[in-house]
Structures are given as C-alpha cells and as structure tokens.
Amino acid sequence: MKAFFYTLREILEIVLIAVVVVVGVRYFLVQPFLVDGSSMEPNFHSGDYLLVNELSYRFKEPQRGDVVVFHYPGNKSTYFIKRVIGLPDERVEIKGGEIFVFNKEYPNGLKLNEFYLPSSIKTGGEKTITLGMDEYFVLGDNRGASFDSRQWGSLDKKEIVGSAWVRLWPLNQITAFARQIVY
C-alpha cells in the first residue's frame, strides 16, 4: 500500500509540473492566434493558425516589416494582425500609392521597398501621420481590404501582444517567420 501512495504522489507531482510549464508557456511566451479575414493576404490567409511570440518585444523593439498581433485600439477584446510600417518618432506619408518614411536617418524621406508584396499592390489613400515616442503605424498586406492605421491612427506599443512566429496550419504551409528588413 505504501508503494501505491508513493507512485500516486510521483504521478501527481509530474502532472502538476506539466500543468505549470504549459500554463507558463501559454501565458508568458507563446500564444495561439487564428487569422480571420483577408487583410493580410497574400502572405496570411483566413484560417491560418499561428503561434505568436510574446517574449521577443520584452527585450527588443518591433521593427519595420515585423508582423504583429495586437489589441485593436477601438476594442481591447479584439485582436488584429498587421505589418509594422512606421516606427516611433517617424513621420509616415502615403501618396500616389507609395509609402515614404521620414526620420533622423532619412530627413528627406525614404520610399519603402516592400518586397514581401506583389508589385501590383498599391497603398491607397493619402495620409500623413507623425508618430509619438511609443507609437507605430501598421498596415495590412492586402491594402485594399485592410482596416488599419490609415483609418484609426497609430498603435501604442502597450497594445502589441507579440510577433507572428510560426504558421502551424495549413500543414502544407508550415513556416517559421524571420525578421524582414524593409527599406
């Protein structure tokens, strides 16, 4: 009987440790995310199942080209996925279907080369926005079908949950995403 209780205790300890590890990973490191809608096509499609890296932005800042998941500023219970275009303390101008970024390094402006988009995709609308210290400008890759910073303004850093890390579904498109340098 003593051996039975010892074995039961060992099993309970293992289960408890497993639960603590899974909960810790789920709430502090990686979060699942299901893409809903067409705003990030052709790179992400409705139904794509992603893992979001929640840890990376605790140690480094989001960079231009990163695909981020965040709380929509108009409704904190809703999550959006978009691409970072403008960084803190920059001015972003959209005109003639092109995006220009003005900052200390490029005071006369730099036309963005968005190699991850087909050349046929143009950024609609005319918009100029100057970002604050912890603000980002984000756009969907499907510029014609995206509700993004062109409509609701800048994204505060504290709303960012994490970066798209791995696509797990569909199985024929499993992908680990690397940081994309955009200029």
Side-chain angles (χ1 to χ4, degrees), residues 17-52:
I17 290 170
V19 167
V20 167
V21 168
V22 167
V23 168
V25 166
R26 165 62 178 85
Y27 286 100
F28 299 108
L29 301 177
V30 178
Q31 183 177 145
F33 180 78
L34 184 64
V35 176
D36 182 23
S38 62
S39 73
M40 287 299 288
E41 290 179 359
N43 296 305
F44 297 89
H45 299 274
S46 193
D48 284 0
Y49 188 80
L50 309 176
L51 290 181
V52 175

Side-chain angles (χ1 to χ4, degrees), residues 64 85-87 90-93 99-103 106-112 183:
R64 193 177 337 277
I85 300 298
L87 302 175
E90 290 185 333
R91 187 175 86 224
V92 177
E93 281 187 19
I99 302 172
F100 299 89
V101 174
F102 298 81
N103 55 29
Y106 299 99
N108 296 322
L110 170 73
K111 179 182 158 199
L112 289 190
Y183 275 105

Side-chain angles (χ1 to χ4, degrees), residues 4-76:
F4 171 76
F5 285 115
Y6 179 76
T7 302
L8 183 61
R9 180 176 172 221
E10 290 291 317
I11 290 171
L12 290 175
E13 285 177 359
I14 290 170
V15 168
L16 180 64
I17 290 170
V19 167
V20 167
V21 168
V22 167
V23 168
V25 166
R26 165 62 178 85
Y27 286 100
F28 299 108
L29 301 177
V30 178
Q31 183 177 145
F33 180 78
L34 184 64
V35 176
D36 182 23
S38 62
S39 73
M40 287 299 288
E41 290 179 359
N43 296 305
F44 297 89
H45 299 274
S46 193
D48 284 0
Y49 188 80
L50 309 176
L51 290 181
V52 175
N53 180 344
E54 294 182 309
L55 189 62
S56 62
Y57 294 144
R58 295 178 195 205
F59 300 104
K60 62 183 178 181
E61 299 298 315
Q63 298 296 306
R64 193 177 337 277
D66 287 359
V67 175
V68 296
V69 172
F70 57 92
H71 298 280
Y72 165 55
N75 180 354
K76 306 292 187 212

